[in-house]
Every structure is written in C-alpha cells, then in structure tokens.
Amino acid sequence: MKMIEEIQGPDGQPGYQHVLKLATALVEVRSLQGLSDTRVDRLILLWDRLPEQDKRRVVYPPRHRERLHTGRFKAAKGKNTSCPGKESLQRCLLGQTSGPASWPSTSRLVEAICSQLCRLHPAATRFGGTTRTRWSLILSDYVAIREAVLASPRLMAQTDIQLFELNQRTLSQW
C-alpha cells in the first residue's frame, strides 16, 4: 500500500498539496470568459479538501485610527500637509493597480497563485509595439482570476475563497 505524504508549505504547515491543486485550477481560469458548472463543482471540491487554516478568512490589520497619538516620538514632525480624501483621489487617478494591497504571502492560496503566475511570465513581453512588464502580466492574470471567482455566485456562496487586491508595487517587492 502506497502512503500519501503530506506536503508542507513554505511556512511548515502540512496540506500544501491541496493549496497547490486549488491554485493550479484557479490559474487555469485566467483566460476563460466565465466559469462553467463543472468547473465550479471542481473548485468547490478542491476548496473542501483544503486544511482548515487555509479556509480561514484573512484578518487585516486596521489602517485607520480613530485617535491620533500625541506626545514625544508619537507624532510626525513638521507641518501636516495631508488633505482628507487625497489618497483615495490618487488611487482613482492612478488606476486599478495602485490601490491598497496586502502581501501575497498573507494567504497560502494567493501566494501559490502568484508563484505559478511568476513561472508563467518569466519576463516582459511585447504586444503590437508596446512592452508589458512581467509584473503587469502577472497582475492582469491575477485580476482576471479574482474577477472570475467574484462573478460566480455559487462559488462565492459555497466557499470562503478570499482573493484580495494586489498591486504592482507590492507584487514586485514580494
């Protein structure tokens, strides 16, 4: 009888082979227009096989503070030039790839998807006279996967797949 060995992920947690299988299935989705019922069933089955720690929702650290700290070494020096709404306006003007993002390693699933996309896009590519960077190719594929998952009501209802936003800067620094 052949024993199936549990693959440990980069963080030493077992069950990483299930994360890799789901990530591979999600990477296949990047070029599809929509998810068929058969593909949704397969994704749900792969989700159900994930270890419990990979099914948990990602808890984000708070980015907003109700009360600013004052006192020695707690306040920024110099004149405060921030303007309410400035950051959100810059995100609107700079586009979709410049919003707030988390590190891919926050979730083993997102990290596995990004790793596979990095192998698919090892370098920049020229399309009709314009060069697209490696990171823009990876990010556009990730966004396509994320949108396909979010557009499937049944998949979202039966799983807690959480593909959070990424941006090029965070992705290239990861």
Side-chain angles (χ1 to χ4, degrees):
M1 184 171 156
K2 186 178 176 183
M3 300 234 353
I4 298 175
E5 191 175 315
E6 292 253 338
I7 299 174
Q8 291 186 355
D11 56 359
Q13 296 283 336
Y16 194 62
Q17 74 273 15
H18 301 297
V19 174
L20 291 175
K21 287 177 184 176
L22 179 56
T24 301
L26 287 169
V27 168
E28 292 170 0
V29 166
R30 74 187 189 284
S31 57
L32 301 176
Q33 295 296 337
L35 297 178
S36 66
D37 288 339
T38 311
R39 192 168 296 268
V40 170
D41 290 338
R42 181 172 175 238
L43 291 172
I44 292 170
L45 180 69
L46 290 170
W47 171 262
D48 289 338
R49 291 181 181 167
L50 285 180
E52 285 304 314
Q53 73 263 17
D54 292 314
K55 289 182 181 180
R56 285 190 220 122
R57 307 276 304 164
V58 175
V59 179
Y60 300 104
R63 295 181 190 237
H64 175 73
R65 293 184 186 160
E66 288 296 325
R67 183 175 69 90
L68 294 176
H69 295 286
T70 57
R72 189 173 185 180
F73 304 118
K74 293 181 185 171
K77 292 185 179 180
K79 191 167 94 174
N80 186 1
T81 59
S82 67
C83 181
K86 180 181 174 186
E87 288 181 26
S88 61
L89 178 62
Q90 285 177 338
R91 276 195 303 269
C92 290
L93 296 176
L94 294 174
Q96 180 181 7
T97 61
S98 62
S102 296
W103 293 103
S105 57
T106 305
S107 161
R108 290 198 321 172
L109 178 61
V110 173
E111 185 175 29
I113 291 169
C114 290
S115 295
Q116 290 183 21
L117 291 175
C118 284
R119 283 192 290 280
L120 285 173
H121 301 292
T125 309
R126 286 186 68 82
F127 289 111
T130 59
T131 302
R132 292 196 56 199
T133 66
R134 174 185 189 202
W135 303 114
S136 67
L137 293 168
I138 292 168
L139 186 62
S140 64
D141 279 356
Y142 179 81
V143 168
I145 294 166
R146 184 173 184 265
E147 288 176 356
V149 168
L150 292 174
S152 173
R154 191 163 67 92
L155 182 61
M156 293 303 296
Q158 294 184 14
T159 67
D160 283 331
I161 292 179
Q162 189 178 14
L163 301 178
F164 44 79
E165 284 187 44
L166 295 177
N167 62 27
Q168 282 188 39
R169 183 175 180 171
T170 305
L171 197 55
S172 64
Q173 291 176 351
W174 165 66

